[in-house]
Amino acid sequence: MSETSTDHDTIRRWAEKHKGVPAAVERTHEKNDVGIIRIMFPKAPHSEHGALVEISWEEFFAEFEEKKLALIYDPDSMFSKLVSRDGGKGT
């Protein structure tokens, strides 16, 4: 059963529990622009993260708040999706 959160501590604990790290899509990541954010699971089998670059949690949450995102996630797995808090499309 999936849950939704905007709480930074909840999101970070969930990600770290599943060995996830904050990341950005490399082609969108520039010096002054974090770009499109994701949570990457580098040690997961079959994980495709070649197009991602690890960023800090501070960068991740700054972009998370600026874009007014929420995280839909499964507490017991690595499933997650970033979505708009206002019900718009995800990222």
Side-chain angles (χ1 to χ4, degrees):
M1 179 117 188
S2 63
E3 297 182 16
T4 303
S5 183
T6 59
D7 181 75
H8 296 191
D9 291 332
T10 299
I11 293 167
R12 187 173 182 164
R13 278 193 309 271
W14 169 82
E16 290 175 347
K17 174 184 173 185
H18 297 287
K19 309 284 190 262
V21 296
V25 176
E26 189 170 23
R27 66 180 168 77
T28 67
H29 184 66
E30 298 176 5
K31 183 177 181 181
N32 296 318
D33 183 10
V34 173
I36 299 170
I37 58 173
R38 298 281 185 262
I39 295 179
M40 172 173 65
F41 301 93
K43 297 185 188 235
H46 311 295
S47 178
E48 296 181 23
H49 56 272
L52 300 176
V53 58
E54 189 171 344
I55 60 175
S56 71
W57 281 112
E58 291 78 19
E59 290 173 298
F60 179 90
F61 285 122
E63 189 71 10
F64 184 83
E65 291 303 326
E66 182 178 321
K67 300 292 188 206
K68 294 182 172 64
L69 300 174
L71 182 75
I72 297 173
Y73 67 100
D74 181 336
D76 300 318
S77 76
M78 290 180 280
F79 168 78
S80 67
K81 182 174 182 169
L82 290 164
V83 297
S84 173
R85 290 179 196 173
D86 65 10
K89 292 184 178 180
T91 64

